[in-house]
């Protein structure tokens, strides 16, 4: 087994990886920027390494990170999620530097990172994909309109190398097509340095169903059941459930077989995820493959009893998968709620600051993956997710109830969080019944926004008006 691993990440996932290392008796090296000096991952790692004064650049610099790994005598690098985790160049450089990359081969990352290439490969292998196009950049507007008409509105424009819900635009008619295409291209260039944009048929009110894949280096590939990630805001997941509360075992079997076939077609190794859209008629379509550990891997861990990060490390170390598909069964239902430091009543604006009180939820079948603590100052430079609350129960109903209990118990003071909003979702009858699709949050947003904060702002408005009136009188 590896003696020491470098973690090319920060925040909760760095902490999660350190825990997996400790469980396996592996030493860990945490890299950090100056802005992350007080981060929990530094306190927990065996060794720390200042990667850059800049808050972002160090985490995104393959050469600096490889140098850090060499200097600290590491044998492998775990990239976590985000940052360089899906950067094929980084993965290649790691291998060329004779370090082990804890993830799939860089060629697989490159192929699956391009949504068009991925779609093409899947189609060749008989995997159903959403009707769509190749990149539209080299066509004139007339040809683009023709393709859209052929597919039929609404369509969805997507950046070929997109991720995190960015570079996506839904287009309802031809008059919006060109302006949306230009906007999508600009966003793609800004975020992904590649402005290739293609289109797909926009599936109305689908569920987002994804299968967790585990594959060793010797052709053994299984799936660890599915997650329903339909609760999304602006194409970003907020709540994830495993297994899907509404899927029949027949459909699960069918989709599972296709997910494994997709992973095999991609020559996939290590942990990865095949994402599908599932429509009203139970027709499903390959959407993309994520070549890294997902934010929501914890719900799969909870229902399968498998440590996914530990498995990633063991597979990268050359272990043969000692699990067959028939070994994989769900123990109840797990739900994850992402707790973000955001002002939900102000368009979910990030709300970094000092944590003045922190009481995470506890009790049976409640898990919190986080990196914050009382007195910690959340830096403003990174993602606003500060904790993942994961619960498990024997049925979906009981899992929602437990999530509700745990959210009410979870106290974070000093910054505004998504907790009150998440509580409202738990109390919503459609959510409780499992009646939701990817449009659920956008449609119900107003009714789910917490009243309390609204009252506070109303009160402030009343006081402000009164004060203003007083000044006018003077
Ligand atoms: P997924 O479940 O597919 O990871 P997400 O919406 O969570 O979907 O993430 C999309 C992209 O944004 C991924 O590249 C992921 O690594 C990154 N990302 C999401 N949340 C975070 C976070 N809290 N910190 C860093 N990167 C994140
Ligand atoms: P990302 O790489 O940003 O995760 P995805 O291609 O996975 O992008 O899409 C993100 C989300 O956008 C999906 O989970 C789904 O809610 C929505 N979406 C993507 N493609 C379609 C489609 N063809 N029809 C309807 N919704 C879609
Ligand atoms: Mg996706």
């Amino acid at each position: 087994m590896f003696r020491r691993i470098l973690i090319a990440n920060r925040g909760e996932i760095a902490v999660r990886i350190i825990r997996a290392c400790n469980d396996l008796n592996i030493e860990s090296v945490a890299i950090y920027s100056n802005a992350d000096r007080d981060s929990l991952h530094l306190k927990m790692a065996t060794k720390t390494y200042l990667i850059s004064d800049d808050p972002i650049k160090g985490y995104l610099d393959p050469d600096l990170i490889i140098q850090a790994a060499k200097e600290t005598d590491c044998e492998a690098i775990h990239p976590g999620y985000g940052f360089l985790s899906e950067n094929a160049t980084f993965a290649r450089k790691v291998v060329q530097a004779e370090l082990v990359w804890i993830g799939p081969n860089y060629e697989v990352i490159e192929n699956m990172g391009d949504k068009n290439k991925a779609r093409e490969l899947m189609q060749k292998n008989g995997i159903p994909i959403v009707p769509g196009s190749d990149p539209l950049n080299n066509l004139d507007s007339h040809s683009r309109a023709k393709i859209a008409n052929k597919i039929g509105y609404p369509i969805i424009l997507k950046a070929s190398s997109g991720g995190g819900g960015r570079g996506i635009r839904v287009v309802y008619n031809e008059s919006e097509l060109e302006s949306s295409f230009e906007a999508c291209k600009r966003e793609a260039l800004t975020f992904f340095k590649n402005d290739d944009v293609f289109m797909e048929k926009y599936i109305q009110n689908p569920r987002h169903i994804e299968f967790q894949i585990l594959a060793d280096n010797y052709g053994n590939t299984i799936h660890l059941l599915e997650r329903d990630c339909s609760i999304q805001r602006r194409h970003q997941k907020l709540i994830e459930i495993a297994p899907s509360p509404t899927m029949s075992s027949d459909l699960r079997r069918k989709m599972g077989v296709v997910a494994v076939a997709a992973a095999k077609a991609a020559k996939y190794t290590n942990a990865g995820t095949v994402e599908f859209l599932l429509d009203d008629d139970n027709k499903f379509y390959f959407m993309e493959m994520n070549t890294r550990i997902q934010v929501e891997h914890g719900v799969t861990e909870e229902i399968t009893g498998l440590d996914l990060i530990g498995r990633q490390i063991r597979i990268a170390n050359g272990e043969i998968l000692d699990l067959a598909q028939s070994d994989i069964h769900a123990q109840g239902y797990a739900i994850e709620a992402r707790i973000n430091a955001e002002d939900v009543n102000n368009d979910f604006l990030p709300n970094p600051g000092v944590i003045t009180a922190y009481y995470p939820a506890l009790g049976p079948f409640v898990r919190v993956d986080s990196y914050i603590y009382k007195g910690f100052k959340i830096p403003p430079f990174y993602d606003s997710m500060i904790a993942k609350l994961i619960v498990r129960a024997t049925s979906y109903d009981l899992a929602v109830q437990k999530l509700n209990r745990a959210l009410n118990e979870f106290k974070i003071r000093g910054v505004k969080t998504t907790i009150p909003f998440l509580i409202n979702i738990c109390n919503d009858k459609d959510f409780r019944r499992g009646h939701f699709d990817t449009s659920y949050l956008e449609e119900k947003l107003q009714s789910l926004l917490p009243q309390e904060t609204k009252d506070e702002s109303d009160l402030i408005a009343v006081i402000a008006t009164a004060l203003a009136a007083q000044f006018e009188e003077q």
Side-chain angles (χ1 to χ4, degrees), residues 209-214 222-228 241-244 247 249 252-253 256 259-260 272-274 299-300 303-304 325 327-332:
I209 301 286
E210 57 181 39
F211 277 76
Q212 176 67 52
I213 297 293
L214 209 53
I222 59 170
H223 71 78
L224 305 183
L225 305 166
E226 81 283 3
R227 297 180 285 252
D228 186 323
I241 305 154
S244 157
M247 170 146 14
S249 44
R252 173 170 301 122
R253 209 171 309 119
V260 168
T273 298
V274 183
V299 287
T300 301
I303 59 158
T304 59
Q325 193 61 61
D327 295 327
I328 306 303
H329 305 285
Q331 277 270 8

Side-chain angles (χ1 to χ4, degrees), residues 115 158 163-165 200-201 203 208 232 235 275 277 288:
K115 290 185 200 226
K158 287 192 192 180
E200 275 178 7
K201 170 111 194 125
I203 309 288
H208 172 119
Q232 305 180 348
H235 311 295
E275 295 189 337
L277 287 173
E288 66 162 343

Side-chain angles (χ1 to χ4, degrees), residues 39-291:
S39 247
L40 193 58
H41 73 295
L42 304 189
K43 302 179 200 288
M44 291 175 67
T46 318
K47 244 181 145 72
T48 64
Y49 187 103
L50 175 66
I51 196 81
S52 166
D53 286 335
D54 185 277
I56 307 283
K57 281 187 187 148
Y59 294 119
L60 290 176
D61 189 326
D63 298 324
L64 275 184
I65 296 172
I66 290 168
Q67 188 190 328
K70 288 283 181 191
E71 279 178 26
T72 54
D73 227 0
C74 286
E75 297 161 50
I77 294 185
H78 196 306
Y81 56 69
F83 291 120
L84 292 174
S85 60
E86 291 174 285
N87 186 306
T89 308
F90 180 43
R92 177 171 50 74
K93 284 187 169 184
V94 167
V95 176
Q96 284 170 348
E98 289 175 356
L99 295 162
V100 177
W101 169 257
I102 302 174
N105 186 284
Y106 60 85
E107 280 163 353
V108 176
I109 299 180
E110 192 167 314
N111 289 334
M112 293 297 110
D114 181 324
K115 290 185 200 226
N116 277 109
K117 273 195 202 165
R119 282 164 54 82
E120 215 172 278
L121 182 76
M122 293 307 152
Q123 194 171 28
K124 253 195 231 152
N125 285 274
I127 313 281
I129 59 169
V130 186
S133 75
D134 290 329
L136 304 158
N137 300 49
N138 294 329
L139 304 176
D140 57 30
S141 58
H142 180 68
S143 313
R144 277 192 287 272
K146 233 169 110 179
I147 295 175
N149 273 325
K150 195 165 161 222
I151 294 172
Y153 289 96
I155 57 111
I156 183 167
L157 294 169
K158 287 192 192 180
S160 299
S161 47
R166 293 217 166 90
I168 289 183
R169 289 278 184 297
V170 181
V171 183
Y172 291 90
N173 57 59
E174 191 170 329
S175 69
E176 303 163 0
L177 182 62
E178 278 310 294
S179 59
S180 294
F181 173 69
E182 289 303 327
C184 208
K185 247 175 46 179
R186 273 197 305 275
E187 200 168 312
L189 194 64
T190 310
F191 285 103
F192 314 112
K193 298 195 183 85
N194 171 353
D195 70 354
D196 276 357
V197 168
F198 68 104
M199 69 172 85
E200 275 178 7
K201 170 111 194 125
Y202 183 63
I203 309 288
Q204 308 258 22
N205 306 335
R207 282 188 177 244
H208 172 119
I209 301 286
E210 57 181 39
F211 277 76
Q212 176 67 52
I213 297 293
L214 209 53
D216 67 14
N217 302 337
Y218 315 100
N220 301 305
T221 307
I222 59 170
H223 71 78
L224 305 183
L225 305 166
E226 81 283 3
R227 297 180 285 252
D228 186 323
C229 308
S230 304
I231 307 292
Q232 305 180 348
R233 182 178 163 269
R234 300 199 173 152
H235 311 295
Q236 284 224 46
K237 301 157 187 168
L238 251 183
I239 293 182
E240 301 98 341
I241 305 154
S244 157
T246 50
M247 170 146 14
S248 70
S249 44
D250 205 38
L251 182 58
R252 173 170 301 122
R253 209 171 309 119
K254 257 198 230 157
M255 288 184 79
V257 168
V258 175
V260 168
K264 284 193 164 167
K267 299 196 169 59
Y268 202 82
T269 56
N270 214 287
T273 298
V274 183
E275 295 189 337
F276 294 102
L277 287 173
L278 176 65
D279 74 11
D280 283 347
D281 300 327
N282 277 347
K283 277 213 274 286
F284 58 90
Y285 309 89
F286 169 89
M287 190 160 46
E288 66 162 343
M289 177 148 201
N290 291 323
T291 55

Side-chain angles (χ1 to χ4, degrees), residues 457-468:
S457 55
D458 286 352
L459 190 64
I460 291 168
V462 170
I463 295 170
T465 316
L467 280 175

